[in-house]
Amino acid sequence: MSELNLILIGSPGSGKGTQGESLQEDLRLPYYATGDILRAAVQEGTEVGRQAKEYMDRGDLVPDEVIIGIISERIQAEEAEDGFILDGFPRTVPQAEALDAAIEKLGRRMTAAILIEVPTDEIVKRLSGRRTCEQGGHVFHVDFDPPKREGICDVDGSALIVRDDDKPDVVQKRLVQYREKTEPLVGYYEQQNILQKVDGTGGPDDVAEHIRGLLATLKREEEMEM
Ligand code: AMP
């Protein structure tokens, strides 16, 4: 395929991160997860991190202008010339419009917005059991993907914690934010004819297989057009 500019959309806990990492390995494209970028900025104590922290701790979205600057810079980078995978961005209609403007300026267009669909009760179960490694951000789940030793990361041996924004009241807030601010993107990308829906309730491998299938279909369609 000429280039693959992909967006992953889905509620918090829908598995975007897991799928993004697996796609990154498959496609060898840069993977930009805004939640990870912001958490790293908070840890490093940068100006962006300082601005973002209070919003993130409350489960609110950080202001559009903070995040739009970060992503516009990334997609213009040389490493993103053949495409990129966005996870957690855009999350609002103004962010989607800014992304369209930035990509158009580069003479390119988005290939697909992949919506990973998971029912809300399943999402709440996933988020409340999630444990994250303090050091490397590796993610486990007390029921679905437990670490070998309780409370300890399999990868680097550091402590597993409940992320502040995975605490129950903050989870509820994040879900409301998703419904109100991010779900309108489904209509936005449907109108552009690039929305691709994927059932996110299966295991990570099943969902990854489904996404690979749909990308293969897009590739065939593009070849037929050429
Ligand atoms: P995530 O790990 O993707 O769930 O993101 C964690 C938090 O980072 C969110 O709850 C927001 O506070 C913030 N965040 C991440 N991406 C964005 C975005 N595109 N726009 C605004 N806030 C964001």
Side-chain angles (χ1 to χ4, degrees):
M1 214 163 191
S2 45
E3 68 182 73
L4 265 182
N5 305 318
L6 301 176
I7 303 167
L8 294 173
I9 306 179
S11 157
S14 58
K16 295 189 302 295
T18 308
Q19 294 307 321
E21 279 165 21
S22 129
L23 272 177
Q24 176 187 29
E25 266 175 40
D26 277 6
L27 303 170
R28 308 209 166 274
L29 289 176
Y31 165 57
Y32 304 127
T34 43
D36 292 347
I37 294 172
L38 291 172
R39 276 186 291 279
V42 170
Q43 238 177 5
E44 286 160 20
T46 64
E47 177 58 23
V48 165
R50 204 187 50 72
Q51 287 174 18
K53 186 175 184 327
E54 56 175 308
Y55 296 95
M56 295 172 78
D57 286 349
R58 285 200 303 263
D60 278 331
L61 295 184
V62 306
D64 287 337
E65 56 275 19
V66 172
I67 198 76
I68 286 171
I70 296 176
I71 287 299
S72 310
E73 207 175 280
R74 297 282 206 289
I75 63 172
Q76 289 175 44
E78 213 176 298
E79 63 168 16
E81 265 175 11
D82 293 333
F84 49 81
I85 305 157
L86 295 179
D87 162 1
F89 182 94
R91 246 177 163 105
T92 64
V93 170
Q95 290 180 15
E97 289 168 348
L99 174 64
D100 280 344
I103 195 98
E104 215 171 283
K105 224 162 115 189
L106 298 171
R108 294 159 58 176
R109 60 188 181 88
M110 297 307 299
T111 314
I114 301 171
L115 173 68
I116 305 180
E117 296 185 295
V118 179
T120 308
D121 53 344
E122 172 76 15
I123 289 286
V124 172
K125 259 192 256 166
R126 289 186 185 184
L127 289 178
S128 53
R130 186 151 81 170
R131 299 292 179 269
T132 307
C133 136
E134 237 176 346
Q135 194 159 333
H138 305 108
V139 178
F140 297 84
H141 189 285
V142 289
D143 300 317
F144 310 138
D145 182 20
K148 293 198 182 76
R149 276 191 300 155
E150 201 186 315
I152 308 286
C153 175
D154 289 354
V155 184
D156 59 25
S158 63
L160 295 179
I161 55 162
V162 178
R163 245 167 63 179
D164 278 344
D165 62 351
D166 282 342
K167 299 201 166 129
D169 49 334
V170 183
V171 164
Q172 285 308 327
K173 179 90 170 275
R174 290 166 68 204
L175 293 177
V176 170
Q177 295 275 315
Y178 177 74
R179 263 197 303 276
E180 289 180 355
K181 301 202 174 132
T182 309
E183 251 174 17
L185 293 182
V186 173
Y188 182 92
Y189 288 118
E190 228 158 18
Q191 258 190 346
Q192 290 194 0
N193 242 339
I194 61 166
L195 189 78
Q196 300 287 342
K197 293 184 181 173
V198 173
D199 174 3
T201 54
D205 292 344
D206 297 330
V207 180
E209 200 47 49
H210 196 137
I211 294 178
R212 270 187 225 116
L214 78 85
L215 291 177
T217 307
L218 287 179
K219 189 171 174 193
R220 268 197 305 278
E221 285 172 1
E222 185 186 82
E223 281 165 0
M224 273 159 51
E225 276 170 24
M226 280 176 18

